[in-house]
Amino acid sequence: MGAVLAFAEGRVTGGGDSGHIDVVVRRSEDGGCTWGPLRVVADGDGDTRGNPAPVVDPGSGDVVLLSSYNGGEATEELILRGEVPADRGRRVFVQRSADDGRTFSAPREITARVKLPGWRWYATGPGHALALTRGPHAGRLVVPADHSAAPPAGSSDTGREPRYYGAHALLSDDGGRSWRLGFVDASHDGHVNANETTAAELPDGRIYLNTRDQLGTAPGNRADAVSGDGGATLARPFAPQPALDRVPVVQGSLLHAGGALLFSAPRCRTPAPNPPSGASRTTVGPPCGRWPSPGGRPATRTWCPWTPGRSACSTRPGPRARTRPWNSAASPGGADG
């Protein structure tokens, strides 16, 4: 049995998104029944290292880990406003392990290869990356990520407006040794503001992507898209996924396993057409991510987006939402391609 690695952000000075944050890992050799001690993989040393996105390179068997960095004093708001110098702003690093996650190489910077001029915010993952197994791009590593763009010259916008967020992918065809950009979502029209994005390979070799919609004007808080060329482009722009419209504005997790596409995220308790200030558009009362579910376990939604024109949903305790078995004749969320 191979090792199981669980990565996280080790927030040393508090629960906020900036400050001293390390990338940490725990390792299990018995399928997750027991775990070894917490170990630091990338030490923030007073700065912020986070958004871990790990994947196993099928060619070498190495664990390849991407993560993001910024200075500990640099909050997301300051970065979005363009008030942080480049060396203290968001940067991208890669590490690898050749011993099943027992040790990792030092972080190696790849920012210049994968961050466009004019981008401000940048986040790898968070969540697992992909190693494609089917089709002409088998072996390719794909890392879903997101960014923010600077407002156009002459605009009165500051860059904090959610419409400047967008999703993109990082691609490697040599086992994570070199990287380039794949698709880039740069609509910035405010309809779907793609943010933290997760991905899974479908049985037909396409990549299904599901994203957090950061306060766009589209209904709901989740959107999806499909790539038919290994993450280089999208078959169509991100569009709302109504079967997940009870998920709040948070990161989700996606996995294809056992013939089903599994999605996991918190679930809002009740919808409201006019949510109170500070709440997700699909909540009543405080932000729905703070609501406990019966028994203290997260409530999840059973997601069946591939039934043409309909979705069957229910609430049940547990860690995941599960789709129907994959039907290659249908497309998730009505996605093209």
Side-chain angles (χ1 to χ4, degrees):
M1 180 183 294
V4 179
L5 304 178
F7 293 88
E9 293 182 354
R11 301 189 173 191
V12 178
T13 52
D17 292 338
S18 58
H20 183 175
I21 299 178
D22 304 328
V23 175
V24 297
V25 68
R26 293 185 70 179
R27 189 172 181 277
S28 173
E29 295 186 348
D30 56 10
C33 297
T34 61
W35 294 86
L38 189 76
R39 294 187 296 106
V40 174
V41 174
D43 192 339
D45 193 25
D47 292 330
T48 300
R49 290 190 182 271
N51 290 91
V55 64
V56 175
D57 168 40
S60 64
D62 291 355
V63 180
V64 179
L65 173 66
L66 278 79
S67 63
S68 304
Y69 164 92
N70 58 262
E73 77 290 349
T75 65
E76 184 170 359
E77 178 173 350
L78 291 174
I79 295 170
L80 291 172
R81 292 174 65 93
E83 297 175 358
V84 177
D87 65 326
R88 304 296 288 169
R90 294 294 276 185
R91 296 157 58 189
V92 191
F93 291 81
V94 63
Q95 298 170 259
R96 61 192 310 125
S97 170
D99 55 8
D100 292 334
R102 293 180 179 86
T103 62
F104 280 83
S105 63
R108 174 174 63 88
E109 186 164 11
I110 58 171
T111 308
R113 302 283 299 179
V114 297
K115 186 177 181 181
L116 293 180
W119 284 4
R120 293 178 176 177
W121 183 254
Y122 197 109
T124 45
H128 66 83
L130 296 179
L132 302 184
T133 62
R134 302 174 182 88
H137 307 293
R140 173 177 291 176
L141 306 185
V142 181
V143 182
D146 68 270
H147 61 274
S148 79
S155 171
S156 61
D157 291 345
T158 66
R160 292 182 62 247
E161 296 79 8
R163 68 189 181 96
Y164 291 109
Y165 282 114
H168 65 274
L170 293 74
L171 308 179
S172 175
D173 287 316
D174 58 5
R177 291 169 177 81
S178 65
W179 293 88
R180 67 186 187 279
L181 281 174
F183 79 86
V184 174
D185 165 46
S187 59
H188 306 313
D189 59 8
H191 183 61
V192 171
N193 301 326
N195 196 267
E196 294 167 325
T197 302
T198 185
E201 184 181 21
L202 300 176
D204 61 6
R206 295 182 299 164
I207 301 173
Y208 174 72
L209 300 116
N210 193 288
T211 191
R212 162 182 176 164
D213 179 7
Q214 189 67 23
L215 305 178
T217 59
N221 299 322
R222 305 299 302 183
D224 60 12
V226 167
S227 173
D229 56 8
T233 64
L234 297 180
R236 58 142 173 87
F238 281 97
Q241 174 47 264
L244 299 176
D245 63 4
R246 297 285 296 281
V247 175
V249 185
V250 295
Q251 165 67 354
S253 181
L254 197 65
L255 185 68
H256 191 277
L261 190 62
L262 310 179
F263 176 85
S264 177
R267 179 184 186 274
C268 299
R269 178 171 291 180
T270 54
N274 296 297
S277 176
S280 163
R281 291 169 300 171
T282 54
T283 69
V284 174
C288 54
R290 298 179 184 175
W291 267 318
S293 60
R297 298 169 64 193
T300 57
R301 177 191 185 107
T302 300
W303 175 40
C304 305
W306 299 321
T307 303
R310 335 173 32 181
S311 62
C313 304
S314 64
T315 302
R316 62 181 66 175
R320 68 188 186 187
R322 178 172 177 144
T323 68
R324 301 189 313 155
W326 168 255
N327 177 0
S328 60
S331 298
D336 300 331

